[in-house]
Amino acid sequence: IFGLGYVVLFGIAIGTAWRFAQKQVIYPAQRLQQRMLKLSAGELAPPAPQPHNNREFLALEYGLEDMATRLSNREREREAMLNRLSATLESISDGFYLLDDHWRFAYINQHAQDLIGLPSQAVLGQNHWEVMPLAEILNLENTYREVVASGQPRVLELRLESKLMAVEIHLYPSDFGLSVYCRDVTKARQMTAEQQARQAAEAANQAKSEFLSRISHELRTPLNAIIGFAQVLKRDSVTAQNARQHAMLEKIESAGQHLVSMINDILDISRTEVGSLSLHIRPIHTRELTRTCLDMVADQAKEANLSLRVEDPDCVVMADITRLKQVLLNLLSNAVKYNRAEGSVHLTVVRQNQRIVFTVSDTGIGMTENQLQHLYEPFNRLGRESSQTPGTGIGLLITQRLVELMGDSLTVHSSPGQGSAFSFALPAAATADSDSVPRTPSTEITPAQANYGPRQVLYVEDNPINSEIMAAILAFRPQIDISYAATLAEAKTALLKHSADLILLDVQLPDGSGLDLVEWLHRDGNQPDIPILVVSADASDESSRSAGRLGVAGYLHKPLDVTQTLSMIDHLLEPASSSDASSKTGA
């Protein structure tokens, strides 16, 4: 009995201990295990802890709950970060996709989907080399693998012929795979190519312009001798020529002037092409200008037995006077050259609202529709190459470009046998009182009276022939004593030793620019107020502007015109009074 009671008590004790163990240990441990399994499975919001008497297990349950809360917060942060990263990758202009360490697509943005031509559903989780539809990229498999193996980023560029685009690919390897950025650079490459072509064209134009400028300089020097000596011989009463010799001199001078005109036209075309032709737009009274232009073609019209008419109420126009004069002279000259015997040339100036309209019309041979289509082609004389009328076929091209630079274009109306009319319109000057605009004097230089006494002139020139031409020109002014210097150094020495009333200065000298002498006179010379007249074969605008900025008194371009040269020299020497001239005679 005692033994049976002991067994019963032992069983009761075991049962009680088992129930206690289940309640206090096994069930809580199982709940903890289930919570841990759910946490490991990603279920971060399990049921709240069950209250019980085992504080240790209760602390563990609360610890797991806190861990779950922290993990949940971290997951939300991670998802937010991934959303921001995804939004960023979607917002960039590049295509982007991410390959894992097994070459499977882990992510692809919309730009990359558009570039590849497949939606994300078709590529995510798929092997890059199995689903990539672009053959050009498939050919880069070995390159991709080399980048991953080396761990070094690389930039590639290839042409996608199927899409007619150029793509720049940036590869960035990492421990987790490969990041690939794809950028469409088609427009950028086209812009680069266009810019390079434009720069090459500009460089070619600049080289052409410089070449033409050098050629112009080299051609003007011998032309200076041809034209200068011809003019001197024509004016020289001591060596008077017979009619035949005079006619020969006329032809020599005419041929030389024709060559100069061609050189100037070619230079103007070059300047308009490279955009180096500068304009000085200002208000201009038209009446003086149009009268001057008609006077300049009057002899040509008289020889052709043509009548000239002008209708100009004296408007005020905004233009560059030199270029406007060039335009009008070219149109008037053409109207005379291509006219008929006893015909007429008519120049009209009319104000229409805020524009001043210039029209040059003639009664000449006119042009066909086909000829009008080729009117502005350089060196195209429209079938008149074999005629006796001189011309190069570039005058109208220059005229058109000059008018365009001043704000309009030429309008042409022409009929075969009926004549032609060329018109253009420029802005009227915005002035209420036309009398407030300075009058534009005629730019024609007429010989002045040489009514001054003895003068000293220094000519700085390294070319002996040019010096001889100047000596022949100044022989018409016996009161001028001329001396010469072939270099800047010689000129400085001469000016330090002797006084001078005028300096004639070439720009290109063996030891520097003639303009350096001007600066030296202003800075260190003992005669800073001597007037300086530049005499140069450099016909560039920059040279003229540089001389003007230094305050030179004038600029003569070779080949020289005898009348113009004497007139300018007379003008610069006349201001000195005759009374003080005697004091310089022995200088």
Side-chain angles (χ1 to χ4, degrees):
I1 295 174
F2 178 77
L4 180 62
Y6 178 78
V7 171
V8 171
L9 288 174
F10 181 75
I12 292 172
I14 291 297
T16 301
W18 174 254
R19 285 194 301 272
F20 178 83
Q22 280 188 325
K23 181 178 180 180
Q24 298 295 324
V25 179
I26 295 176
Y27 291 157
Q30 288 177 344
R31 286 198 302 271
L32 285 174
Q33 184 182 25
Q34 291 175 358
R35 291 172 68 90
M36 293 176 66
L37 289 175
K38 290 180 179 180
L39 283 175
S40 63
E43 187 177 334
L44 302 180
Q50 297 287 333
H52 52 75
N53 296 328
N54 193 320
R55 290 179 298 175
E56 289 77 5
F57 279 105
L58 186 62
L60 286 174
E61 286 203 39
Y62 280 114
L64 288 176
E65 182 182 22
D66 182 64
M67 181 186 299
T69 301
R70 290 174 181 270
L71 288 175
S72 178
N73 292 336
R74 293 281 181 87
E75 183 64 21
R76 283 195 295 271
E77 291 176 359
R78 187 182 71 86
E79 289 179 358
M81 183 181 66
L82 288 176
N83 289 334
R84 289 194 299 270
L85 178 59
S86 178
T88 300
L89 292 175
E90 290 295 336
S91 66
I92 63 175
S93 59
D94 298 344
F96 171 80
Y97 59 88
L98 178 64
L99 302 177
D100 64 17
D101 53 359
H102 294 290
W103 301 105
R104 293 173 301 205
F105 281 93
Y107 176 83
I108 182 170
N109 71 359
Q110 188 61 50
H111 289 295
Q113 296 174 49
D114 296 338
L115 179 65
I116 293 174
L118 291 177
S120 59
Q121 301 91 323
V123 296
L124 289 179
Q126 302 298 314
N127 185 280
H128 179 274
W129 310 114
E130 293 177 359
V131 299
M132 173 60 67
L134 301 175
E136 295 87 351
I137 296 181
L138 287 174
N139 292 333
L140 298 176
E141 181 175 358
N142 291 334
T143 303
Y144 276 43
R145 294 183 182 277
E146 289 173 4
V147 169
V148 172
S150 67
Q152 298 297 320
R154 189 178 300 183
V155 179
L156 309 169
E157 186 170 322
L158 70 156
R159 175 82 178 173
L160 300 181
E161 295 297 340
S162 59
K163 294 181 175 291
L164 298 177
M165 71 169 58
V167 177
E168 187 177 82
I169 300 177
H170 294 251
L171 303 176
Y172 296 96
S174 68
D175 295 337
F176 306 102
L178 184 68
S179 297
V180 182
Y181 291 85
C182 305
R183 178 179 301 169
D184 183 358
V185 294
T186 307
K187 291 184 179 179
R189 295 298 175 263
Q190 288 175 347
M191 292 178 62
T192 301
E194 290 172 359
Q195 183 179 13
Q196 291 174 344
R198 184 166 56 253
Q199 290 174 346
E202 291 173 354
N205 279 335
Q206 185 64 33
K208 180 181 69 176
S209 179
E210 293 175 358
F211 171 76
L212 290 175
S213 180
R214 288 195 296 268
I215 289 296
S216 168
H217 182 275
E218 296 303 318
L219 289 176
R220 286 173 184 273
T221 300
L223 283 172
N224 189 39
I226 295 170
I227 297 174
F229 284 133
Q231 290 182 349
V232 167
L233 288 172
K234 284 170 56 182
R235 292 174 61 100
D236 192 352
S237 59
V238 177
T239 58
Q241 313 89 25
N242 57 37
R244 182 169 176 270
Q245 291 171 332
H246 187 82
M248 290 180 179
L249 289 174
E250 290 279 2
K251 291 179 180 179
I252 292 173
E253 183 184 2
S254 176
Q257 296 291 1
H258 180 64
L259 288 174
V260 173
S261 178
M262 288 181 61
I263 293 170
N264 291 335
D265 285 348
I266 292 173
L267 284 177
D268 280 343
I269 289 179
S270 176
R271 289 171 184 149
T272 58
E273 286 179 347
V274 300
S276 63
L277 188 66
S278 59
L279 298 179
H280 179 51
I281 304 297
R282 62 184 181 87
I284 300 168
H285 277 278
T286 60
R287 181 176 293 168
E288 289 88 347
L289 179 63
T290 55
R291 299 287 180 183
T292 298
C293 291
L294 254 68
D295 289 343
M296 294 180 69
V297 297
D299 290 342
Q300 184 184 358
K302 185 177 180 180
E303 291 179 5
N305 195 20
L306 301 174
S307 63
L308 295 176
R309 290 188 300 132
V310 59
E311 294 181 21
D312 186 352
D314 195 15
C315 302
V316 183
V317 66
M318 295 298 297
D320 181 296
I321 184 171
T322 301
R323 297 307 178 181
L324 179 55
K325 179 181 176 182
Q326 184 178 353
V327 167
L328 292 175
L329 283 176
N330 196 12
L331 294 177
L332 288 168
S333 178
N334 282 348
V336 171
K337 285 193 300 184
Y338 300 109
N339 217 309
R340 56 178 173 80
E342 299 182 355
S344 64
V345 175
H346 191 190
L347 170 59
T348 60
V349 181
V350 179
R351 177 167 184 148
Q352 294 180 357
N353 298 323
Q354 299 303 312
R355 309 284 284 179
I356 307 298
V357 181
F358 296 81
T359 303
V360 176
S361 57
D362 62 66
T363 57
I365 59 178
M367 290 174 285
T368 65
E369 287 295 329
N370 182 62
Q371 288 174 320
L372 289 174
Q373 292 177 3
H374 303 278
L375 189 60
Y376 301 117
E377 292 178 1
F379 305 106
N380 186 345
R381 296 198 60 202
L382 307 178
R384 295 163 187 158
E385 294 81 1
S386 59
S387 68
Q388 298 298 315
T389 305
T392 59
I394 57 178
L396 274 179
L397 173 61
I398 297 171
T399 301
Q400 169 74 315
R401 291 185 178 177
L402 291 177
V403 172
E404 288 175 347
L405 286 174
M406 289 188 288
D408 198 28
S409 60
L410 280 178
T411 301
V412 186
H413 298 284
S414 185
S415 299
Q418 301 298 317
S420 303
F422 290 81
S423 300
F424 62 93
L426 299 179
T431 174
D433 182 8
S434 63
D435 292 333
S436 66
V437 180
R439 296 281 169 174
T440 304
S442 170
T443 56
E444 289 304 291
I445 298 177
T446 57
Q449 294 296 323
N451 55 1
Y452 48 86
R455 296 289 186 267
Q456 298 291 325
V457 173
L458 174 64
Y459 187 23
V460 187
E461 169 65 67
D462 63 316
N463 188 307
I465 295 179
N466 289 335
S467 298
E468 188 175 348
I469 295 169
M470 186 60 70
I473 293 174
L474 293 185
F476 295 106
R477 297 292 185 265
Q479 69 269 45
I480 293 178
D481 182 14
I482 185 170
S483 58
Y484 303 93
T487 64
L488 288 174
E490 290 180 13
K492 292 176 182 178
T493 301
L495 290 169
L496 289 173
K497 291 181 178 180
H498 305 287
S499 177
D501 297 293
L502 175 65
I503 298 174
L504 304 177
L505 181 63
D506 187 22
V507 173
Q508 297 188 8
L509 296 170
D511 54 345
S513 169
L515 299 181
D516 294 338
L517 182 67
V518 183
E519 295 181 337
W520 176 81
L521 281 171
H522 292 321
R523 185 180 64 250
D524 303 318
N526 59 354
Q527 303 178 69
D529 297 327
I530 303 176
I532 298 174
L533 180 59
V534 174
V535 183
S536 175
D538 186 349
S540 67
D541 292 337
E542 180 56 35
S543 180
S544 299
R545 285 194 295 267
S546 298
R549 286 193 291 267
L550 292 174
V552 301
Y555 199 111
L556 283 172
H557 294 112
K558 299 172 184 174
L560 299 176
D561 178 84
V562 173
T563 300
Q564 181 189 39
T565 302
L566 289 174
S567 296
M568 292 191 72
I569 290 175
D570 289 343
H571 174 72
L572 294 173
L573 292 178
E574 278 179 348
S577 64
S578 299
S579 61
D580 67 1
S582 59
S583 65
K584 294 186 178 182
T585 304

